[in-house]
């Protein structure tokens, strides 16, 4: 098999236990992914905590060298909605991790995204948003020239068949900043979406959690503790056998795209309606004449996905 070319990625994130696992998976996969920076955004918890959590996760992975940039502390047009009810007060409840000591860069996340896309060769940097799309949209608004230079935007957000998890109609990341999502989906760069339709099939069952814990490493045990924590909320809500591991679908896709199947379709974001604000209206059946603007994933090889995460966590 030919050696895979390492892909340059920026992870844009609001950690969150599942964000943490997505970051650990990326840092455990240096052959496939080069994390050239991590940008933080307000989402699951306020910006100060998402930035702290990103630093803690990098230190947990033994990578205090990763450059972390704090970004937007509120959505483009609305007040911030957070998800402490899912992720706990800190956003990373579960394990007891040491207070981080690595620095946060002086540069704002949006400036870092713009400068990186302008200086790296065009079509070589993939953006991996795991939270609300505020930073990415702000960068696109300020520097429209970067949209042609993005290799791909692979994001966790939205839903079609699973509909919503924060309102009856909307998934959390899109709901928090639908105006930002609309900008991203209309920007013209290739967009790949990991919606709830996929992530709700990636359930951390007890055997899968036991496999993380059995690694016996700091990263393995902390991952088991994190997934244990937010599992309580989702098991109660969905009556499922485990919690969905949403965000690692993004980094797993970049490492092993054949774990996922989907369709290239049109996706519109509802920003006007009070009832369905933040809904991702995905034309899965091709019933409109709106042109495709996103690859919307529909299925995942969950066993392969968890095997990959366990294998890469073992290397940290």
């Amino acid at each position: 098999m030919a050696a895979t070319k390492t892909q340059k990625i920026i992870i844009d994130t609001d950690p969150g236990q599942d964000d943490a696992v997505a970051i650990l998976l990326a840092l455990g996969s240096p052959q496939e992914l080069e994390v050239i920076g991590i940008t933080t955004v307000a989402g699951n918890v306020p910006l100060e905590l998402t930035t702290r959590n990103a630093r803690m996760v990098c230190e947990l992975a033994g990578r205090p060298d990763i450059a972390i940039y704090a970004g937007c502390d509120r959505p483009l047009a609305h007040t911030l909605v957070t998800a402490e009810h899912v992720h706990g007060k800190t956003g990373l409840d579960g394990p007891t991790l040491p207070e981080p000591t690595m620095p946060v860069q002086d540069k704002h996340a949006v400036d870092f995204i713009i400068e990186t896309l302008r200086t790296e060769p065009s079509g070589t940097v993939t953006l991996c948003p795991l939270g609300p799309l505020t930073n990415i949209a702000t960068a696109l608004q300020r520097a429209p020239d970067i949209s042609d230079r993005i290799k791909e935007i692979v994001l966790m957000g939205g839903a079609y068949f699973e509909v919503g998890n924060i309102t009856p109609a909307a998934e959390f990341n899109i709901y928090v900043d639908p105006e930002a999502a609309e900008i991203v989906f209309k920007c013209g760069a290739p967009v790949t979406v990991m919606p709830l339709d996929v992530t709700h099939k990636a359930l951390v069952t007890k055997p899968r959690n036991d496999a993380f814990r059995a690694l016996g490493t700091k990263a393995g045990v902390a991952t088991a503790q994190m997934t244990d924590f937010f599992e309580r909320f989702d098991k109660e809500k969905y009556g499922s056998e485990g919690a969905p591991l949403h965000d690692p679908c993004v980094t797993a896709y970049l490492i092993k795209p054949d774990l996922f199947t989907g369709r290239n379709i049109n996706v519109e974001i509802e920003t006007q309606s009070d009832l369905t604000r933040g809904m991702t209206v995905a034309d899965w059946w091709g019933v409109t004449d709106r042109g495709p603007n996103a690859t919307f994933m529909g299925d995942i090889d969950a066993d392969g996905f968890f095997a990959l995460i366990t294998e890469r966590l073992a290397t940290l």
Side-chain angles (χ1 to χ4, degrees):
M1 194 176 112
T4 43
K5 194 168 176 300
T6 311
Q7 306 173 72
K8 292 178 179 171
I9 67 169
I10 296 172
I11 297 176
D12 185 67
T13 180
D14 61 336
Q17 290 88 350
D18 54 327
D19 304 70
V21 181
I23 294 166
L24 293 171
L25 175 58
L27 295 177
S29 306
Q31 265 69 49
E32 294 90 356
L33 303 178
E34 180 193 346
V35 180
I36 55 179
I38 293 178
T39 52
T40 61
V41 68
N44 285 320
V45 285
L47 182 69
E48 190 184 335
L49 286 173
T50 62
T51 306
R52 171 181 178 256
N53 292 346
R55 293 160 66 215
M56 284 163 91
V57 173
C58 289
E59 291 185 6
L60 175 64
R63 292 297 303 277
D65 57 301
I66 297 284
I68 293 179
Y69 303 84
C72 299
D73 65 356
R74 68 191 65 145
L76 297 182
H78 291 265
T79 47
L80 178 65
V81 176
T82 54
E84 286 88 349
H85 62 290
V86 182
H87 298 278
K89 269 204 315 289
T90 67
L92 214 54
D93 282 18
T96 307
L97 295 172
E99 202 53 45
T101 57
M102 66 185 280
V104 177
Q105 305 301 310
D106 292 333
K107 193 176 290 173
H108 191 281
V110 172
D111 295 325
F112 167 71
I113 291 167
I114 292 170
E115 284 172 30
T116 304
L117 286 165
R118 283 178 173 167
T119 53
E120 293 286 341
S122 186
T124 60
V125 176
T126 297
L127 302 179
C128 302
L130 309 178
L133 290 161
T134 317
N135 286 339
I136 311 297
T138 304
L140 288 163
Q141 278 183 316
R142 275 193 208 158
D145 58 287
I146 63 175
S147 61
D148 294 342
R149 303 183 64 85
I150 298 167
K151 182 182 180 187
E152 188 178 8
I153 299 170
V154 183
L155 66 96
M156 189 277 132
Y160 179 61
F161 296 97
E162 288 277 335
V163 203
N165 64 353
I166 184 77
T167 71
E171 177 276 331
F172 177 81
N173 286 344
I174 306 294
Y175 178 77
V176 170
D177 200 343
E179 287 75 15
E182 183 175 44
I183 290 166
V184 170
F185 276 85
K186 288 187 167 158
C187 77
V191 175
T192 297
V193 187
M194 295 293 162
L196 298 180
D197 306 310
V198 162
T199 66
H200 279 180
K201 294 171 184 165
L203 298 177
V204 187
T205 56
K206 187 173 185 307
R208 288 168 177 166
N209 208 351
D210 289 346
F212 295 154
R213 193 173 269 103
L215 293 172
T217 58
K218 272 203 273 199
V221 173
T223 298
Q225 291 169 333
M226 285 189 270
T227 49
D228 261 349
F229 178 85
F230 81 97
E231 188 170 61
R232 295 202 296 266
F233 173 81
D234 279 325
K235 277 168 95 164
E236 194 174 318
K237 176 172 167 185
Y238 297 112
S240 56
E241 53 178 339
L245 211 46
H246 307 284
D247 294 331
C249 291
V250 168
T251 39
Y253 169 75
L254 291 169
I255 299 162
K256 282 189 95 162
D258 54 352
L259 292 172
F260 300 89
T261 51
R263 294 181 183 182
N264 192 28
I265 61 169
N266 179 269
V267 180
E268 300 290 328
I269 309 297
E270 177 56 64
T271 59
Q272 304 302 315
S273 160
D274 290 339
L275 192 62
T276 56
R277 178 179 155 73
M279 187 174 191
T280 40
V281 182
D283 187 9
W284 186 259
W285 304 115
V287 293
T288 73
D289 54 8
R290 296 194 287 262
N293 62 349
T295 301
F296 201 81
M297 291 301 171
D299 211 352
I300 179 175
D301 167 5
D303 288 336
F305 171 73
F306 280 96
L308 175 68
I309 295 175
T310 308
E311 170 198 305
R312 298 304 163 87
L313 283 176
T315 67
L316 294 172

